[in-house]
Amino acid sequence: MTFGRVNPQFRLEDQGIEGLGNVYYNLLEPALVEAALKNGEATLGKGGALLVSTGKFTGRSPKDKHIVKSASVEDTVWWENNAPMSPEGFDALYADMIEHMKGRDYYVEDLVGGADPSLAINVRMVTELAWHGLFNRHMLRRPEREALDTYAADFTIINCPSFKADPARHDCRSDTVIALNFDRKLILIANTEYAGENKKSVFTLLNYLLPEKGVMPMHCSANHAIDNPVDAAVFFGLSGTGKTTLSADPARTLIGDDEHGWSERGTFNFEGGCYAKTISLNPEAEPEIYATTEKFGTVIENMVFDPETKDLDFEDDSLTANMRCAYPLHYISNASETALGGHPKNIIMLTCDAFGVLPPIARLTPAQAMYHFLSGFTSKVAGTERGVTEPEPTFSTCFGAPFMPRRPEAYGKLLQEKIAKHGATCWLVNTGWTGGAYGTGSRMPIQATRALLSAALEGTLNDAEFRKDENFGFEVPVAVPDVAEVLLDPRRTWEDQDAYDVQAAKLVQMFADNFEQYLPFIDDDVKAAALG
């Protein structure tokens, strides 16, 4: 049986998916909450939040992502970064998954990726878990109810956590799989309940499709000045660097917290919600995000809670340090109604430096910006991926290598062209360690980071006195109001400054070694920035 609103010419049977149990189309949030509770998938939390556990998968499984290697994409996919799957393996995976799904109930949400209607794609999400349907309604954009009567998907994503892949039969790495087939316009996800795989699959999809249209897809948050969408800023960064926290600035309008495009018109959000880390979430430092954890329908992932009062423990990371909450964008009071902004006036590249070497902020030339964009230096934060238990220094090109199906130079060239055409001031912001490396130093004070960002976005930081950093050549402010002067010179924050010099030299060499792979593909000015 089928329930809910759907295009009568676009049911799952019309896509060749037959024999299922009950199929629930486009249920609204209350019905999805009811279903998740009835199915035993979740616990009702305070304010009507939904408390869920994702089992043994509490983060993404990037090594289990595959792209089907067909003639249409063979020459455009970055195969060194994306594991190939044969068309035959995918066909067998699809057939076996559909057979497994027969007789079981499924939840279908017909959603949209992209706030710009001229560039948006329709994505049908088919999920085994009702709470995944709720998560997807938060994270993607929800069409008007009337539009569902004529809705047809450009791509379909099927998520079946109870199905295990067979590496020998399905040409994959393990019994967990995320497989993208551009020819069949299908993405299959199996044997993981971690909901982040849903949203990142859509991001990967857009990262491949949009560059062909001259649109720069970005793993970034974005905001703009209140009542002035033209004054936009984007914040590149991997999970844990502060994209969500720093873009949710009450003095600015939030465009979105994770995935955006930069088109000829300007900046636009891919999503309709936020997916915020909740470990050590502070009601004073981040009051709006904190408040969402007690709002109706917010999905709370992998948090320890009191079984009687349902109070959340924001410090207990015994399940994972990657505890999160997912909520619709309108739960943030200063969120943009359109999710659109102008061309970025400021580009901020966030890094979490576990070495304690980088300053809290630095101004970059366009060539230096390209160098740091392609480098994508940060530290993987505990819990973001399986097996990461403490910060690990890493280079993730374009600040999002796991989601980049094309070679890094394709995205770097697009960004370079857009900076040159529209103009933007570029900044590198370290939200990582100061006063020593991880284990010795301390995390950069968020109050200092906010003060520096405010000065950068307001334009007053450009009037400060700058010094040239001896290690990386970028410009670092000497003094900024409301920021301890010592923080601006990382070497001075170390008790043993000779040890700082050793650590800095080590990091500089890591950058150089990593960047050698890009030297054949970059312009001379970027090469000069790379070679010092």
Side-chain angles (χ1 to χ4, degrees):
M1 295 182 64
T2 62
F3 304 87
R5 192 160 189 168
V6 64
N7 178 353
Q9 266 65 61
F10 198 68
R11 299 180 185 273
L12 288 181
E13 302 94 284
D14 300 305
Q15 296 179 261
I17 303 174
E18 299 178 330
L20 305 185
N22 295 320
V23 179
Y24 301 91
Y25 291 92
N26 297 304
L27 296 186
L28 297 178
E29 288 79 1
L32 288 167
V33 169
E34 287 181 341
L37 296 173
K38 180 181 178 182
N39 297 343
E41 302 170 7
T43 299
L44 190 65
K46 296 178 74 171
L50 205 63
L51 311 177
V52 302
S53 167
T54 63
K56 69 174 183 176
F57 293 91
T58 58
R60 292 179 291 102
S61 299
K63 294 181 180 179
D64 292 312
K65 288 182 66 174
H66 298 263
I67 294 178
V68 175
K69 194 170 188 178
S70 64
S72 65
V73 302
E74 185 172 5
D75 297 331
T76 51
V77 169
W78 181 20
W79 294 112
E80 294 86 350
N81 187 60
N82 295 274
M85 174 181 282
S86 66
E88 295 77 14
F90 183 90
D91 291 346
L93 175 65
Y94 178 75
D96 292 346
M97 185 180 286
I98 297 302
E99 185 63 29
H100 172 85
M101 291 166 62
K102 288 182 177 179
R104 301 169 185 257
D105 293 350
Y106 278 82
Y107 300 85
V108 179
E109 293 291 332
D110 291 327
L111 301 165
V112 175
D116 185 335
S118 66
L119 296 166
I121 62 169
N122 288 346
V123 184
R124 166 165 278 185
M125 310 294 290
V126 182
T127 61
E128 186 175 24
L129 297 172
W131 79 261
H132 273 196
L134 179 64
F135 175 92
N136 294 333
R137 279 192 64 80
H138 291 340
M139 297 314 305
L140 292 177
R141 303 191 64 80
R142 300 160 291 278
E144 297 295 332
R145 299 296 286 176
E146 295 75 17
L148 296 174
D149 296 336
T150 56
Y151 180 100
D154 299 306
F155 276 79
T156 297
I157 297 178
I158 303 175
N159 190 326
C160 186
S162 66
F163 179 79
K164 291 187 177 184
D166 179 346
R169 177 171 168 78
H170 302 138
D171 192 25
C172 53
R173 190 187 74 95
S174 74
D175 54 8
T176 298
V177 66
I178 302 97
L180 196 163
N181 190 323
F182 285 102
D183 290 347
R184 295 190 61 174
K185 299 186 183 301
L186 276 171
I187 299 176
L188 306 178
I189 304 172
N191 194 39
T192 171
E193 293 184 29
Y194 182 65
E197 299 288 11
N198 294 299
K199 75 182 231 85
K200 289 307 184 186
S201 292
V202 178
F203 186 41
T204 302
L205 180 60
L206 290 167
N207 279 340
Y208 184 82
L209 298 175
L210 290 179
E212 292 181 343
K213 301 178 180 180
V215 177
M216 173 65 189
M218 303 178 291
H219 188 211
C220 71
S221 56
N223 62 26
H224 65 70
I226 293 176
D227 298 326
N228 185 13
V230 174
D231 184 3
V234 298
F235 301 73
F236 285 102
L238 289 177
S239 175
T241 56
K243 292 195 314 299
T244 300
T245 297
L246 295 173
S247 59
D249 182 345
R252 294 175 66 85
T253 298
L254 178 67
I255 301 173
D257 85 320
D258 195 43
E259 302 168 6
H260 294 79
W262 186 355
S263 70
E264 283 303 300
R265 191 212 54 77
T267 311
F268 65 100
N269 194 353
F270 289 167
E271 300 184 311
C274 300
Y275 192 33
K277 290 176 73 74
T278 56
I279 187 167
S280 300
L281 190 63
N282 188 307
E284 295 180 1
E286 301 163 275
E288 293 235 70
I289 298 175
Y290 188 92
T292 68
T293 63
E294 294 185 6
K295 290 192 174 182
F296 180 79
T298 293
V299 176
I300 309 290
E301 278 186 350
N302 299 317
M303 288 192 70
V304 174
F305 58 90
D306 185 288
E308 183 177 359
T309 66
K310 304 302 186 291
D311 288 334
L312 301 171
D313 189 333
F314 292 88
E315 303 302 327
D316 189 337
D317 62 356
S318 58
L319 294 177
T320 177
N322 194 36
M323 55 182 79
R324 290 180 179 264
C325 62
Y327 50 89
L329 200 60
H330 66 258
Y331 277 8
I332 301 297
S333 62
N334 64 327
S336 167
E337 293 184 3
T338 65
L340 302 172
H343 298 290
K345 290 180 64 176
N346 287 279
I347 294 174
I348 293 96
M349 298 183 185
L350 299 169
T351 180
C352 174
D353 173 22
F355 283 84
V357 168
L358 295 176
I361 195 166
R363 186 169 61 187
L364 308 175
T365 66
Q368 289 170 338
M370 204 52 46
Y371 174 69
H372 284 278
F373 179 71
L374 288 174
S375 297
F377 169 72
T378 190
S379 301
K380 291 180 182 178
V381 178
T384 304
E385 293 180 7
R386 286 192 295 150
V388 179
T389 58
E390 62 182 42
E392 295 178 0
T394 188
F395 291 89
S396 185
T397 188
C398 308
F399 294 98
F403 325 117
M404 302 297 167
R406 296 179 182 269
R407 279 203 57 85
E409 302 84 39
Y411 306 105
K413 184 178 180 181
L414 267 173
L415 184 62
Q416 190 174 27
E417 291 171 350
K418 291 190 178 297
I419 290 174
K421 182 174 181 178
H422 301 288
T425 304
C426 300
W427 308 89
L428 182 70
V429 172
N430 174 25
T431 61
W433 274 258
T434 184
Y438 171 77
T440 302
S442 57
R443 201 69 192 258
M444 195 71 68
I446 190 171
Q447 296 87 349
T449 302
R450 288 191 184 279
L452 290 166
L453 279 174
S454 294
L457 297 179
E458 292 166 5
T460 58
L461 191 54
N462 282 316
D463 299 327
E465 178 186 353
F466 287 81
R467 65 174 176 84
K468 184 176 181 180
D469 183 84
E470 294 182 357
N471 297 303
F472 289 93
F474 43 50
E475 294 183 317
V476 181
V478 174
V480 178
D482 301 320
V483 178
E485 191 174 315
V486 67
L487 276 179
L488 297 169
D489 187 350
R491 189 174 188 271
R492 289 174 56 196
T493 67
W494 282 53
E495 184 175 341
D496 184 346
Q497 295 185 357
D498 290 337
Y500 171 86
D501 293 336
V502 172
Q503 191 83 309
K506 180 180 179 180
L507 184 59
V508 168
Q509 190 59 51
M510 288 179 64
F511 265 86
D513 292 344
N514 172 74
F515 206 79
E516 284 186 1
Q517 62 186 304
Y518 305 118
L519 293 178
F521 306 102
I522 59 175
D523 297 340
D524 289 341
D525 56 345
V526 181
K527 192 172 295 185
L531 300 175

